[in-house]
Amino acid sequence: MATYTSNATGLWSAGATWVGGVKPPSGAGHKISIVSPHVVTYDEAAGEYGDDTTTGITIAYGATLKFSRGASTKLTVVGTMLRNGAIDCGTEADPIPNPYVAELVLNKSASMASGKYGFST
């Protein structure tokens, strides 16, 4: 398991967006770190990130995780999502157009417990 850190503003699916030039593979327990001032646009139909121990995805202050406006997406976080930056799931000025849907699943764990994981700032 590794931590994938943003290298630039860009699409989640593009290697150039990530340090090392490789897109994070889903389902392998990898953690994600989006650093300032990057805006990473999540454009995957489905993906699961985190290792069920601590923080699965970190969005640093000044960074943004933005969901695609051109496809339906589903992002599952295994562990806590630490958000100091922004999550853009559509705004009044820039909505996710119909028929597309952005889905964010938090608190996925092999052993569920109240308050175990979730959304943190």
Side-chain angles (χ1 to χ4, degrees), residues 1-2 4 12-13 18 22-32 42-51 56-57 73-78 105 108:
M1 294 177 271
Y4 285 76
W12 186 287
S13 63
W18 305 100
V22 177
K23 172 187 103 62
S26 173
H30 299 302
K31 297 179 181 187
I32 304 299
Y42 186 75
D43 62 338
E44 302 279 303
E48 186 173 288
Y49 299 91
D51 65 3
I57 297 178
T73 57
K74 180 179 181 179
L75 175 60
T76 301
V77 183
V78 184
V105 179
K108 180 168 189 243

